[in-house]
Structures are given as C-alpha cells and as structure tokens.
C-alpha cells in the first residue's frame, strides 16, 4: 500500500480529492477553479488596468439616431455632460481598460438635463426611460469592466442579471421633478428616439424649455408657432443672439411708431418682438447654446424696454389729436412706471429675504403671474383699446391694472413674510 493510500484512509478522502498534498498543488488547483457556473462567467470581465480613476467618463454605445435641433445625439449628450463638468468621452472598446466609473449611454438616447448630474453621482444606476415599444434601458453608471455588458443591455441583447447589482430607476423615481431655474414642476424625460416617435420627442423637448410661472401669452399663445419657428431656425445655424438682436430692432421700431402715434403698427412690431423673445430662449435651450452674454442681452432688454414703450405711447397720443392735461398725464405715467419698478422690487425682496420667487410660493401666486401687470398682459389691454380707437383709454387701463396688481403683490409679500416666521418657505412645486 502506498503512502498516498495510507493518508487517504486516515483522512477519509480519496486520492483524487487529496491531491493538494502532492508536490504539484498549484497546477491542479487552477484546473479545478477554472470551472465556473454560467452566471459567473457572464459577469466576468477583463480586469481594468492603469491608475484608479474616480471621476466618471462618458461612453456612447450603439447606433446613433437622427439629428435633433441641428445637433447629432452624440453631440447633444457630450454638451450636456460637459455642462456638468464631464468632458472626457471614450469608445466602448476603451471602457474595459478604464479603471473607474463609466456612464454608458445608448447612442439614440435623449436625456433631460436634470438627469445628467444624477447619472454622474449615483454608481450602479440603471436609468430606464421610454422607447418606441415601451420602457427601455437608456443609460447606466458602472465600472469600466462592466461597460460591455451594459452596452448589450442597452441594445436589448442581454437581460439585467443580479450579479451586475444595478439599481433600476425611471425618471419619476429620481426626485428631480422641481426645476428651480425654470420655476416649474415637471418630470424630466429619458427617451430612445426612432422615426416613429421623433415628432413627439421634439415637442416634449421644446415644451420642457418653458418656464412654469410666466404670462398668459407666452404660456398659451406662443408655444405652437414658436415650436415651428425654433425647429426651422435650429438646423440653419441661426443663433439665439441673432434672434435677440432682431427682437431688439423690433423693440426700437415699436418705440418709434408709438411715439409717432401709429399705434397699430407699433403693436404689430411689439407683438413680433415678444414672439422673438420667446423663440430666442427656447432656441438657446434646445440647441444647448445658452451663454452668459446671451442671458444678459436678453434679460437686459426685457427689463428695460417696457417703461419706454409706455412713455412713447403717452407722448404719441398728441400726434393723434388727443391732448392730456398735466393733471392726467403725470399720474398715469407715475402709476405705470412706479408700479413697474415697485413690483420688481417686491420680487427682489422675496428672493433675498424669503429664498424663493414670489410667483412660485403657492398655486394662486403662479396663476396670478399669468395676468399680472407685466409687458404682455399690458400689451393685451393696449391692443384691445387701440382696436376700438381708444388708445388713451388703453393707457389708463394699464395704469389702473398696474396699481391693482401692485396692491395684490404687496399683500403677497406681507403674507409670505408672516409665514416665514414659522419656518422656511418652500414652493408648492416641490411637494410630491
């Protein structure tokens, strides 16, 4: 009897299972461990090489979709992630050797901006959105060694398996519904585009650029024509600042026509200017071409020109044979200009002392914003009275409505300041 057989009898093991006591343990041990279950083989990936990385990189995988708003989908995604600080993009073939997090996005994906920072900050997140045939995986943040497996999942070639440890979430489950910059509550989108749903996606993207608290004309009259204008302008290389500049010329033209007493012509120029004022902002957002200078240019014009229009209108009455006595002229101008300035002051106080815009505190405040005495609602009054040949009555109506709105805004502010004593104020839009 051999020594190996004696050892086996003593330990209760067969010679085959006791081979770790022989002189060649490592070679046989490797052969035994090479046999892995199929699930473990599927999860296995080449080990990452190179230094450890902690900042994510972007990997766009799959077949690209059509252009939207003058940009390829890959260009859109790169710009969106760059806006949040991620500027490095790698190919799928490079991802396996990337020793760190990779955000893998399907090449036909359209993702709303509020979801981009979430994808950057949440490891193992699998973002699921809408596709032509229902819910579909859109993007995920994983380690580089898992990128190839994720690309197969995004392409529909593989199911999500437990060993990947992915946290599946839809946009509605990511608590990103309140948009402070656009003053609205809206669930962000994540979609895969196709020829069948392209028009619906373009409309969803366009409406996603609208502010939640705005005037009645911008909210209800301009969206459809502004959508078609924006879709026509975007692929032709016309920039938002060009649109703003055209609006500025119309602003000056309206001022001159008001001053000359040609009110209907001035109103046509004024309404065209307000339309372009809607288009330039939407064009900037859908083409991801917003700039600091463009923001100053646009908002500076919006802030300064309305008082000049009202004064020009008042002076233009004389050109039509309507002469106001000083006892009427100055109170009307003081009410309009003083009310305009004080309303802006109230809005500034709310932001400074209350920490939120007064128009998004309660639902009634957001509704009131649609008709408060700002440029577009005031233009409605001027237009109605000009059409019946009473431009002077129109300016008086603007003055009266401005005073009424100023009183209501003052009450808003006092209520908000009183409520602030009980704790910080929050917008009704943040409630789930």
């Amino acid at each position: 009897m051999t020594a190996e057989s004696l050892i086996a009898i003593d330990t209760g093991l067969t010679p085959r299972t006791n081979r770790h006591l022989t002189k060649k343990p490592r070679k046989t041990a490797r052969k035994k461990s090479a046999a892995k279950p199929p699930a473990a083989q599927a999860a296995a990936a080449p080990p990452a090489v190179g230094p450890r990385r902690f900042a994510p990189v972007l990997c766009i995988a799959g077949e690209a979709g059509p252009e939207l708003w003058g940009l390829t989908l890959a260009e859109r995604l790169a710009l969106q992630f760059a806006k949040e600080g991620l500027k490095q993009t790698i190919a799928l073939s490079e991802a396996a050797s990337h020793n760190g997090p990779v955000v893998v996005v399907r090449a036909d994906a359209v993702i709303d901006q509020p979801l981009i920072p979430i994808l950057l900050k949440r490891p193992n997140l699998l973002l699921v959105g809408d596709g032509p045939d229902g819910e579909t995986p859109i993007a995920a943040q994983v380690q580089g060694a898992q990128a190839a497996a994720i690309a197969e999942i995004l392409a529909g070639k593989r199911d999500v398996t437990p060993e990947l440890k992915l946290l599946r979430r839809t946009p509605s489950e990511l608590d990103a519904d309140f948009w402070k910059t656009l003053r609205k509550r809206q669930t962000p989108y994540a979609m895969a585009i196709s020829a069948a749903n392209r028009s619906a996606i373009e409309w969803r993207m366009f409406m996603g650029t609208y502010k939640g608290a705005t005037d009645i004309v911008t909210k209800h009259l301009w969206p459809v024509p502004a959508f078609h204008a924006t879709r026509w302008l975007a692929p032709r290389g016309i920039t938002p600042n060009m649109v703003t500049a055209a609006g500025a010329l119309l602003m000056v033209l309206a001022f001159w026509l008001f001053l000359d007493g040609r009110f209907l012509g001035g109103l046509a120029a004024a309404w065209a200017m307000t339309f372009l004022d809607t288009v330039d902002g939407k064009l900037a957002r859908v083409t991801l071409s917003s700039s600091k200078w463009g923001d100053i240019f646009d908002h500076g014009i919006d802030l300064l020109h309305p008082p000049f229009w009202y004064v020009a209108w008042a002076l233009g009455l004389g050109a039509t044979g309507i002469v106001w006595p000083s006892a009427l002229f100055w109170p009307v101008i003081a009410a309009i200009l003083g009310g305009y300035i004080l309303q802006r002051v109230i809005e500034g106080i709310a932001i400074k002392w209350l920490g939120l815009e007064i128009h998004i505190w309660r639902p009634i405040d957001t509704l009131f914003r649609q008709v408060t005495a700002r440029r577009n609602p005031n233009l409605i009054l001027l237009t109605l009275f000009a059409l019946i040949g009473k431009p002077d009555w129109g300016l008086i109506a603007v003055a009266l409505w401005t005073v009424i709105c100023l009183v209501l805004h003052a009450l808003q502010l006092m209520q908000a300041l009183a409520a602030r004593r009980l704790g910080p104020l929050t917008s009704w839009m943040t409630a789930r």
Side-chain angles (χ1 to χ4, degrees):
M1 183 175 293
T2 64
E4 184 176 3
S5 299
L6 289 173
I7 294 173
I9 293 171
D10 183 60
T11 60
L13 300 174
T14 66
R16 180 176 296 275
T17 59
N18 199 38
R19 284 188 178 182
H20 64 280
L21 298 177
T22 66
K23 293 183 178 180
K24 297 181 179 180
R26 295 187 179 180
K27 184 174 180 181
T28 55
R30 286 198 188 100
K31 288 181 180 179
K32 184 177 179 180
S33 62
K36 295 183 180 180
Q41 289 178 349
V49 296
R52 175 70 175 149
R53 308 290 184 183
F54 296 96
V57 296
L58 175 63
C59 176
I60 301 173
E63 297 182 5
E67 286 191 1
L68 286 178
W69 310 107
L71 294 171
T72 67
L73 297 185
E75 289 171 336
R76 293 189 63 83
L77 290 167
L79 287 171
Q80 287 181 287
F81 278 93
K83 185 176 179 181
E84 301 297 333
L86 187 156
K87 298 182 179 180
Q88 183 180 357
T89 302
I90 62 175
L92 182 59
S93 59
E94 303 172 286
S97 60
H98 179 78
N99 190 11
V102 178
V103 179
V104 186
V105 185
R106 54 191 294 166
D108 61 350
V110 180
I111 303 176
D112 216 351
Q113 191 65 38
L115 298 177
I116 301 298
I118 296 176
L119 278 168
L120 292 176
K121 295 174 183 176
R122 296 198 185 181
N124 298 328
L125 171 66
L126 176 65
L127 176 64
V128 177
D130 297 323
D133 302 316
E135 284 193 347
T136 186
I138 298 293
Q141 191 207 124
V142 294
Q143 292 299 305
Q146 297 174 304
I150 295 301
E152 291 181 355
I153 291 172
L154 299 183
K157 299 178 181 178
R158 174 177 173 175
D159 294 330
V160 178
T161 49
E163 65 271 8
L164 292 173
K165 298 180 180 179
L166 295 175
L167 185 65
R168 182 188 184 278
R169 291 290 184 269
T170 63
S172 62
E173 297 171 322
L174 292 173
D175 195 24
D177 294 349
F178 176 56
W179 299 25
K180 186 175 181 179
T181 55
L182 292 181
R183 304 195 298 271
K184 67 179 180 180
R185 180 175 179 82
Q186 180 174 292
T187 301
Y189 54 78
M191 301 175 286
I193 192 170
S194 70
N197 65 4
R198 176 175 178 172
S199 296
I201 286 178
E202 285 182 319
W203 177 251
R204 176 67 179 83
M205 293 173 70
F206 179 80
M207 291 306 295
T209 67
Y210 263 83
K211 293 179 179 179
T214 188
D215 66 86
I216 191 171
V217 175
T218 302
K219 192 175 185 68
H220 298 291
L221 181 61
W222 287 152
V224 172
F227 168 74
H228 291 290
T230 304
R231 188 163 63 172
W232 187 87
L233 293 170
R236 287 166 172 79
I238 298 174
T239 68
N241 287 346
M242 293 179 185
V243 177
T244 305
L249 294 176
L250 288 169
M251 175 199 69
V252 174
L253 176 61
F255 173 83
W256 179 71
L257 291 172
F258 290 158
L259 194 60
D260 199 41
R262 290 184 276 180
F263 297 117
L264 291 179
L267 285 167
W271 281 118
M273 183 269 175
T274 68
F275 175 70
L276 293 185
D277 188 37
T278 291
V279 171
D280 61 3
K282 309 304 173 286
L283 182 62
R285 294 187 187 111
V286 297
T287 60
L288 304 175
S289 56
S290 300
S291 66
K292 186 175 182 179
W293 158 244
D295 187 62
I296 294 172
F297 187 25
D298 180 38
H299 286 86
I301 291 174
D302 292 347
L303 183 66
L304 295 176
H305 79 269
F308 290 94
W309 279 2
Y310 305 137
V311 172
W313 189 286
L315 295 174
L317 291 174
T320 65
I322 301 174
V323 180
W324 275 0
S326 297
L328 178 59
F329 179 89
W330 290 112
V332 168
I333 292 299
I336 294 175
L337 300 188
Y340 178 80
I341 294 170
L342 289 175
Q343 284 188 53
R344 293 289 188 172
V345 170
I346 288 173
E347 292 172 4
I349 290 173
I351 294 172
K352 179 68 175 179
W353 290 359
L354 304 177
L356 84 166
E357 295 196 29
I358 196 68
H359 303 299
I360 62 171
W361 176 28
R362 303 165 300 187
I364 187 65
D365 302 318
T366 303
L367 182 63
F368 182 45
R369 172 64 180 86
Q370 293 191 38
V371 296
T372 191
R374 296 279 282 266
R375 181 194 63 197
N376 287 358
N378 287 347
L379 278 179
I380 292 176
L381 294 175
L382 293 175
T383 301
L384 291 175
F385 282 101
L387 288 173
I388 64 173
K390 298 292 184 180
D392 51 337
W393 291 10
L395 199 61
I396 293 172
V398 169
L400 291 174
W401 183 236
T402 300
V403 171
I404 292 170
C405 290
L406 179 61
V407 172
L408 293 175
H409 281 305
L411 290 174
Q412 271 183 309
L413 182 61
M414 288 188 288
Q415 290 172 341
L417 290 173
R420 178 66 178 82
R421 295 179 181 178
L422 303 177
L425 298 186
T426 58
S427 170
W428 69 273
M429 297 180 182
T430 62
R432 292 187 64 83

